[in-house]
Amino acid sequence: MKKRPALNIDHEKLRENMKTVVSWCSEAGIDVAGVFKVTSGLASAALDYEACGAKWIASSRLEQLARAKEAGVGIPMMMIRVPMISELDDMVKVCEYSLQSEFSTLKALDEAAIRAGKIHNVILMADLGDLREGFWDLDELVDVAKYTEEVLTGLNLAGIGTNLGCYGSVIPTGKKMQQLAEYAEAVEAAIGRPLEIVSGGATSSLMPVFDGKMPSKINMLRIGGAAFVGALEETCRIYGRRELKVLHDDAITLEAEVIEVRTKPTHPVGELGVNAFGKKAKYRDRGDRRRALLAVGGADFGEIDDLLPQLPGSEVIGCSGDHTILDIEDCERIIKVGDVIRFKLHYSAILRLSSSENVAKYETGEIGCLL
Ligand SMILES: *Cc1c(COP(=O)(O)O)cnc(C)c1O
């Protein structure tokens, strides 16, 4: 019998999404690094990305990249969270590329690469205002680039890049991308050769591509979100784009099983303290309503806002660690114990569900290697 809760991964839909993302980019002269961290490092998702034309596989976690390599991904691996000094020896064995923003780490990485007998490729990050990782000063970026080029023999300066939107909510406008292009030109002037990579950001940097505002100097994007949840109504709203609608919004879905069905009051009965998460919650009194209790909870998916029930007329009204309450008063379908409810998922729910040991993973469709 199928185990539940179940995370269903439809590789046909996933690959169609990835192909679409890669084709949008390649029309603009941009190569894609396929970011698969939202799946908690599902190797089959990395194989799909490779089959769909990604030039690198990227993640913020070394363990995930190691797993993908083990599974047979042949394209270069890219570490996209600036690494810890303590993981550099492992990193040079697993990854050919990494994003960097500290001089001391670059020097330690150079030594680690030499120890391993490898040349490791680095992309120096410029912080253009989002205030997470990256060199703030152009002069410092250029100095470190020059030093990497001339002194650090274990490293190849592959390029520069930026990240926007993750902390500071800064939008990757054509203007920001132009600034990155100018930074790249300053580095190229200092080292006297063209850079292989100018990496313009993540899913949010697809918007200047759609608008035809991406400077030709930007030749790489690191894309995760678009391929996995790009078409969700909410994602389209965040980016204000209908273009994303052509993607599938159900490549990864959740199935949860109904364990109780009853009509109950909507306002708790008794003196109220705090809920399972230690929070004082608010309850709207809507009288008695029919609800289904599901065997999946916040411990698995995080926040109920990240679940989109596919049962018409239903609404998720709350959860504890291991239970979810679904209002089904307005549903036409008769719901009974043992029924299965399907959900589309926002990014953070996929992130959590894919790493939960309580959630079974079912993969359908051929994986990777179709090219
Ligand atoms: C997660 C991440 C990405 C991918 O972001 P999406 O919005 O999922 O496309 C790109 N770059 C870095 C540095 C990241 O951490």
Side-chain angles (χ1 to χ4, degrees):
M1 215 167 171
K2 190 169 179 179
K3 280 194 152 187
R4 300 204 176 83
L7 195 62
N8 297 319
I9 298 125
D10 181 331
H11 285 284
E12 307 298 336
K13 288 182 177 168
L14 206 47
R15 273 205 316 278
E16 281 183 23
N17 283 358
M18 290 167 173
K19 272 187 199 151
T20 303
V21 165
V22 168
S23 72
W24 281 332
C25 289
S26 73
E27 273 170 38
I30 291 169
D31 287 331
V32 171
V35 181
F36 74 131
K37 67 192 180 194
V38 66
T39 65
S40 304
L42 193 71
S44 52
L47 286 163
D48 282 343
Y49 240 139
E50 178 179 26
C52 294
K55 294 276 162 53
W56 303 262
I57 292 299
S59 179
S60 50
R61 307 280 171 164
L62 209 47
E63 298 75 13
Q64 298 180 2
L65 293 167
R67 210 178 306 148
K69 190 161 222 167
E70 186 83 0
V73 171
I75 52 179
M77 297 288 169
M78 179 178 292
M79 176 73 169
I80 56 169
R81 194 212 57 239
V82 168
M84 300 179 272
I85 286 190
S86 60
E87 65 186 343
L88 296 181
D89 282 312
D90 292 332
M91 191 180 84
V92 293
K93 288 182 192 120
V94 174
C95 303
E96 289 77 18
Y97 286 77
S98 63
L99 308 186
Q100 299 291 333
S101 69
E102 280 285 359
F103 186 47
S104 55
T105 306
L106 280 164
K107 283 195 289 185
L109 178 59
D110 177 56
E111 288 167 16
I114 291 167
R115 267 197 298 280
K118 307 211 166 185
I119 304 282
H120 183 85
N121 301 287
V122 294
I123 297 170
L124 302 186
M125 295 298 276
D127 188 338
L128 300 184
D130 203 60
L131 309 183
R132 199 177 67 184
E133 77 278 38
F135 291 91
W136 187 250
D137 250 29
L138 175 58
D139 289 345
E140 190 192 355
L141 173 70
V142 170
D143 286 350
V144 172
K146 208 159 179 299
Y147 189 91
T148 305
E149 175 80 357
E150 291 168 3
V151 183
L152 301 179
T153 55
L155 303 183
N156 172 45
L157 177 64
I160 70 163
T162 195
N163 197 73
L164 292 165
C166 283
Y167 171 72
S169 318
V170 173
I171 298 169
T173 54
K175 219 168 143 190
K176 285 282 175 202
M177 293 296 104
Q178 189 53 43
Q179 192 185 352
L180 182 66
E182 283 162 20
Y183 278 32
E185 280 157 13
V187 170
E188 289 174 343
I191 62 173
R193 67 166 176 93
L195 292 168
E196 176 201 340
I197 293 170
V198 183
S199 182
T203 291
S204 56
S205 292
L206 283 173
M207 310 317 136
V209 173
F210 292 152
D211 290 332
K213 291 206 171 124
M214 193 59 113
S216 58
K217 193 92 193 145
I218 312 298
N219 62 9
M220 188 254 247
L221 293 179
R222 313 173 302 270
I223 309 278
F228 293 93
V229 296
L232 287 177
E233 206 55 54
E234 174 76 359
T235 316
C236 293
R237 194 184 55 72
I238 290 171
Y239 295 119
R241 302 314 290 232
R242 303 303 299 172
E243 282 91 338
L244 295 165
K245 265 280 158 207
V246 304
L247 302 167
H248 297 285
D249 62 2
D250 57 353
I252 303 188
T253 53
L254 171 71
E255 280 180 11
E257 191 168 321
V258 176
I259 52 173
E260 182 189 296
V261 180
R262 271 205 183 83
T263 299
K264 290 188 185 180
T266 38
H267 195 278
V269 181
E271 259 181 69
L272 302 196
V274 296
N275 67 14
F277 305 112
K279 299 265 159 53
K280 269 202 181 301
K282 285 221 162 45
Y283 304 91
R284 186 154 73 94
D285 192 349
R286 302 173 69 198
D288 287 0
R289 291 180 69 85
R290 195 143 189 89
R291 341 101 35 87
L293 195 61
L294 307 177
V296 67
D300 305 304
F301 57 73
E303 310 273 340
I304 57 170
D305 295 346
D306 294 326
L307 298 186
L308 307 165
Q310 296 306 295
L311 172 66
S314 71
E315 183 191 355
V316 183
I317 56 172
C319 75
S320 60
D322 307 300
H323 299 79
T324 299
I325 304 168
L326 191 68
D327 181 296
I328 52 169
E329 177 72 23
D330 300 330
C331 295
E332 272 176 30
R333 217 179 98 193
I334 305 296
I335 299 298
K336 52 188 194 321
V337 169
D339 282 353
V340 170
I341 310 291
R342 257 166 83 87
F343 296 86
K344 292 181 184 177
L345 302 165
H346 284 151
Y347 189 96
S348 43
I350 295 176
L351 185 64
R352 285 164 185 263
L353 287 161
S354 58
S355 68
S356 171
E357 63 171 27
N358 308 314
V359 178
K361 280 121 206 144
Y362 289 91
E363 307 188 40
T364 56
E366 227 175 313
I367 296 163
C369 302
L370 289 188
L371 289 186

